[in-house]
Amino acid sequence: DAGITQSPRHKVTETGTPVTLRCHQTENHRYMYWYRQDPGHGLRLIHYSYGVKDTDKGEVSDGYSVSRSKTEDFLLTLESATSSQTSVYFCAITGDRGVNYGYTFGSGTRLTVV
Amino acid sequence: AQKITQTQPGMFVQEKEAVTLDCTYDTSDPSYGLFWYKQPSSGEMIFLIYQGSYDQQNATEGRYSLNFQKARKSANLVISASQLGDSAMYFCAMREVQTGANNLFFGTGTRLTVIP
């Protein structure tokens, strides 16, 4: 029982096409995050959500949008994919605010834009 | 400004020896948490150890310990008795409780290679 799952795990898409990545959690956690991981940059925050319909931008949000219509699902959409969005995307969740609350990461989605 | 800095892109250590991975951070939030994650070649993010800004003692988890020097804003990870399975990417990360909207900020990582 993973508690957090990402789909798809791998995707190849063409430049200019829309792409949606899904993050699903069974932990009923309030906070959900989308990161991208690129060599030399570590993980960078794209968007995050602090509740249903409550989302905000991270440090690398250009070209991405998100939606959270229910607690368990957080969707990341690339409206028109570009080669610079080729990356590994991670979803993460955590509970209420507090220093000691840990984060759980999904297994990642490897996206290739050709 | 970078919130988390890891200055060692790559490190090598002999099996059974100890190794220290460096991490410095920058924050004005008095309440924050510091995390270390391991990412093996399989790609998953594995939580290793946590240190809160108000914790009086350095955190330890098995072979992992965190050398927390608050005045210097450093949170180095020490791995004792290295094993071949420790070869991986290691990320330092920070959460700012009051100012950071509960977001987790990462460094660029250190690739550790354990030599037999």
Side-chain angles (χ1 to χ4, degrees):
Chain A
D1 186 7
I4 176 172
T5 55
Q6 292 183 229
S7 59
R9 292 295 312 278
H10 303 272
K11 186 171 183 66
V12 179
T13 192
E14 293 187 349
T15 299
T17 60
V19 177
T20 295
L21 309 183
R22 181 185 185 227
C23 178
H24 178 78
Q25 61 146 327
T26 58
E27 305 295 327
N28 201 35
H29 279 346
R30 179 182 175 190
Y31 295 89
M32 299 186 75
Y33 306 85
W34 278 108
Y35 289 89
R36 60 177 290 173
Q37 182 180 13
D38 305 289
H41 290 278
L43 277 75
R44 292 180 292 174
L45 183 64
I46 305 171
H47 281 280
Y48 64 97
S49 170
Y50 46 95
V52 174
K53 296 194 188 326
D54 291 324
T55 64
D56 207 344
K57 296 178 180 180
E59 56 184 315
V60 290
S61 59
D62 287 350
Y64 302 94
S65 62
V66 290
S67 66
R68 192 171 178 197
S69 59
K70 46 187 178 178
T71 300
E72 56 265 37
D73 288 326
F74 191 33
L75 304 180
L76 176 70
T77 297
L78 291 64
E79 300 289 347
S80 178
T82 67
S83 58
S84 65
Q85 293 176 311
T86 293
S87 186
V88 178
Y89 292 85
F90 284 97
C91 178
I93 60 174
T94 192
D96 281 332
R97 292 177 76 97
V99 177
N100 296 327
Y101 229 97
Y103 296 78
T104 303
F105 284 82
S107 299
T109 295
R110 183 174 295 276
L111 177 68
T112 303
V113 183
V114 297
Chain B
Q2 282 285 97
K3 288 186 181 289
I4 294 286
T5 301
Q6 295 180 254
T7 58
Q8 307 156 314
M11 290 280 287
F12 292 87
V13 64
Q14 205 75 36
E15 192 178 8
K16 301 180 184 176
E17 297 293 312
V19 63
T20 298
L21 307 184
D22 294 341
C23 173
T24 58
Y25 60 92
D26 183 26
T27 182
S28 56
D29 193 329
S31 182
Y32 53 91
L34 296 158
F35 300 76
W36 276 93
Y37 286 87
K38 172 185 179 180
Q39 187 180 44
S41 57
S42 53
E44 71 267 34
M45 296 291 288
I46 301 169
F47 167 75
L48 294 178
I49 196 167
Y50 168 83
Q51 179 86 40
S53 58
Y54 295 117
D55 293 344
Q56 295 297 310
Q57 295 192 336
N58 288 344
T60 60
E61 291 285 350
R63 294 187 298 111
Y64 304 108
S65 60
L66 201 152
N67 184 2
F68 182 46
Q69 299 187 42
K70 195 170 183 177
R72 297 180 60 186
K73 292 188 174 180
S74 76
N76 299 338
L77 177 71
V78 180
I79 305 175
S80 63
S82 297
Q83 303 171 356
L84 295 178
D86 294 334
S87 293
M89 279 291 287
Y90 289 81
F91 291 99
C92 179
M94 176 177 67
R95 169 169 58 195
E96 297 167 311
V97 176
Q98 294 184 11
T99 61
N102 221 28
N103 298 338
L104 194 61
F105 297 94
F106 284 83
T108 53
T110 296
R111 182 171 298 281
L112 177 67
T113 302
V114 181
I115 304 166

